[in-house]
Amino acid sequence: MTRKSQPQPPLSRRGVVWLGWKLVIAFSVALCLLALLRIHLQYNSAATLAPLSVAKSRNPPREYSGDRPKVAFLFLARRDLPLDFLWDRFFKGADQANFSVYIHSVPGFVFSEETTRSQYFYGRQLNNSIKVIWGESSMIAAERLLLASALEDQSNQRFALLSDRCAPLYDFGYIYRYLISSPRSFVDSFLHTKETRYSVNMSSVIPEEKWRKGSQWISVIRSHAEVIVGDGTVFPVFKKFCTRAPPLGSPKSWLFLKQNRRNCIPDEHYVQTLLTMRGLESEMERRTLTYTVWNISGTKYEAKSWHPVTFTFENSGPEEINEIKKINHVYYESESRTEWCKADSKPVPCFLFARKFTKEAALRLVSEGLIGSSTNITL
């Protein structure tokens, strides 16, 4: 004989109230946990993307309120500055309120009366310099250190990166007006389809369509310098995946090939790619201000040994220098693009500097008065 289930006694009023309170408390705790989880996720996201979000800001750059904007000359030196006497002539007579000088040299090297012939370089070395290896990310790390140091002076509004064997083609006044008059950066930047330096390992951060190549010798406005220094997203990817291939036959070359890594020269890609990713190409003149002649006589298998042609005493006379000054456009074959050289929307010569010069060539520039202002173009 089956037992019939007995009906449950109805809940007392006190039991109903207590059950209601339990539900309210449980719901409140769940809401608090969800809120804490959301805050935690937002914090981590902000911490990870802080440099990116700052760089993506499309707010117009702050106008410099001072009366005397400076051009910061940033020298990337192996050790000393072999053409210091040439730059001494360049800076003499210029108002020191219009420029500043910063030098990245080997750690511990000091520019003083014993190590340089120009007072403009005394004590201008960075105290936090690093060892730089060509073709490694240390090169762009040194560039970022120079920019970071120069950004500490609010008066610095233009930043020109120069090599230790670079020479100015005009006097200070002309170069100053050229740079200050333009609201844009001068960054050589173009698509490069003939070499495969881009690695798919970068794709999670750097889209392939944003990959660019160009000269490392840049001249940037302050807001772009801040983007470069503040970058915490793209630079780590370059450090990890964009490195120069070791020489064939060396112990490291086998490992490099085994890992299927690509030969990549960071300083020819970093700034161009970073500014493109930040949507800043419209704020750039996509060309360099530093003239370089490349020795491309070798085969494609010898291309790794290409290097700039050196200006010597014989090939740095008036005829050669004036030919450089006449150049008014640059053609980019990979984009079928002709870049007509402008500053503040006005036609100008393309190049303000050239490299690389021997001491004898620099002495000829000085002795023959070849560092002079343009006579037919004004800004």
Side-chain angles (χ1 to χ4, degrees):
M1 182 173 179
T2 58
R3 293 180 60 186
K4 293 183 179 178
S5 60
Q6 297 296 321
Q8 297 296 322
L11 288 172
S12 66
R13 178 174 294 180
R14 179 179 293 180
V16 172
V17 172
W18 176 239
L19 179 62
W21 275 111
K22 279 186 176 181
L23 292 173
V24 170
I25 292 170
F27 185 71
S28 300
V29 170
L31 284 178
C32 289
L33 289 173
L34 285 173
L36 287 171
L37 179 62
R38 185 175 181 181
I39 291 171
H40 177 71
L41 292 174
Q42 286 179 338
Y43 175 81
N44 283 344
S45 177
T48 303
L49 300 178
L52 181 61
S53 61
V54 170
K56 277 189 172 181
S57 171
R58 303 304 298 141
N59 293 328
R62 296 186 303 272
E63 291 293 330
Y64 175 59
S65 57
D67 297 327
R68 306 293 292 276
K70 291 181 183 178
V71 173
F73 292 86
L74 315 177
F75 291 90
L76 195 57
R78 292 172 178 84
R79 185 175 173 81
D80 61 352
L81 291 175
L83 308 186
D84 53 3
F85 61 92
L86 172 65
W87 286 98
D88 187 77
R89 173 68 65 89
F90 173 77
F91 288 127
K92 267 183 181 171
D95 191 332
Q96 292 194 45
N98 289 340
F99 71 93
S100 52
V101 173
Y102 302 84
I103 311 168
H104 185 285
S105 184
V106 293
F109 189 85
V110 176
F111 283 81
S112 63
E113 292 183 30
E114 289 73 34
T115 57
T116 181
R117 290 161 287 190
S118 174
Q119 62 177 336
Y120 299 106
F121 299 129
Y122 290 170
R124 300 311 302 165
Q125 72 283 343
L126 301 190
N127 295 324
N128 59 343
S129 63
I130 60 175
K131 182 180 179 181
V132 173
I133 301 174
W134 181 84
E136 301 292 340
S137 61
S138 56
M139 180 75 80
I140 52 179
E143 296 174 12
R144 282 157 53 96
L145 286 172
L146 280 166
L147 288 168
S149 185
L151 280 169
E152 293 178 5
D153 184 347
Q154 184 64 33
S155 301
N156 289 327
Q157 294 293 305
R158 301 293 185 274
F159 305 79
L161 182 66
L162 305 162
S163 77
D164 54 4
R165 290 193 175 272
C166 186
L169 298 176
Y170 299 94
D171 64 18
F172 178 87
Y174 183 77
I175 289 179
Y176 178 83
R177 293 191 301 273
Y178 191 116
L179 293 173
I180 293 296
S181 68
S182 177
R184 298 169 178 264
S185 290
F186 296 90
V187 178
D188 193 36
S189 177
F190 55 91
L191 294 170
H192 195 58
T193 55
K194 292 185 178 179
E195 282 183 55
T196 352
R197 295 184 177 181
Y198 177 82
S199 169
V200 292
N201 294 322
M202 306 177 184
S203 59
S204 61
V205 175
I206 305 172
E208 187 171 8
E209 64 270 17
K210 302 294 185 181
W211 183 253
R212 297 290 185 273
K213 184 182 178 182
S215 167
Q216 77 177 106
W217 310 112
I218 59 174
S219 175
V220 294
I221 58 178
R222 187 174 180 91
S223 60
H224 292 178
E226 290 171 345
V227 169
I228 297 167
V229 171
D231 168 43
T233 306
V234 177
F235 181 62
V237 176
F238 268 77
K239 285 183 68 175
K240 188 173 183 179
F241 298 115
C242 186
T243 56
R244 175 176 59 99
L248 288 176
S250 68
K252 291 183 178 179
S253 65
W254 177 83
L255 181 61
F256 194 88
L257 293 172
K258 184 181 178 182
Q259 294 174 340
N260 197 28
R261 301 179 71 181
R262 301 177 184 276
N263 184 36
C264 182
I265 311 300
D267 53 83
E268 294 182 354
H269 297 277
Y270 173 65
V271 172
Q272 293 80 0
T273 299
L274 173 64
L275 296 183
T276 299
M277 287 180 61
R278 299 300 185 258
L280 299 173
E281 281 188 303
S282 62
E283 298 177 15
M284 303 179 337
E285 298 285 348
R286 292 169 57 199
R287 60 185 177 89
T288 180
L289 298 178
T290 299
Y291 179 78
T292 307
V293 181
W294 290 96
N295 178 7
I296 56 174
S297 57
T299 67
K300 67 177 181 178
Y301 299 105
E302 298 169 331
K304 61 180 180 295
S305 64
W306 290 359
H307 58 275
V309 173
T310 300
F311 285 94
T312 63
F313 184 88
E314 289 73 22
N315 66 353
S316 58
E319 184 176 344
E320 290 83 1
I321 299 302
N322 286 331
E323 283 301 311
I324 299 173
K325 292 182 177 182
K326 290 178 183 177
I327 299 173
N328 63 0
H329 68 279
V330 182
Y331 179 68
Y332 292 92
E333 182 180 357
S334 63
E335 298 179 352
S336 299
R337 168 173 63 94
T338 298
E339 190 79 10
W340 292 94
C341 300
K342 302 182 296 295
D344 194 23
S345 303
K346 299 180 180 64
V348 290
C350 290
F351 301 107
L352 297 180
F353 313 99
R355 61 185 289 264
K356 61 186 197 177
F357 286 80
T358 63
K359 289 183 180 179
E360 293 74 20
L363 281 169
R364 185 172 185 182
L365 293 180
V366 172
S367 63
E368 298 190 18
L370 297 179
I371 306 173
S373 184
S374 174
T375 56
N376 59 348
I377 298 178
T378 58
L379 290 174

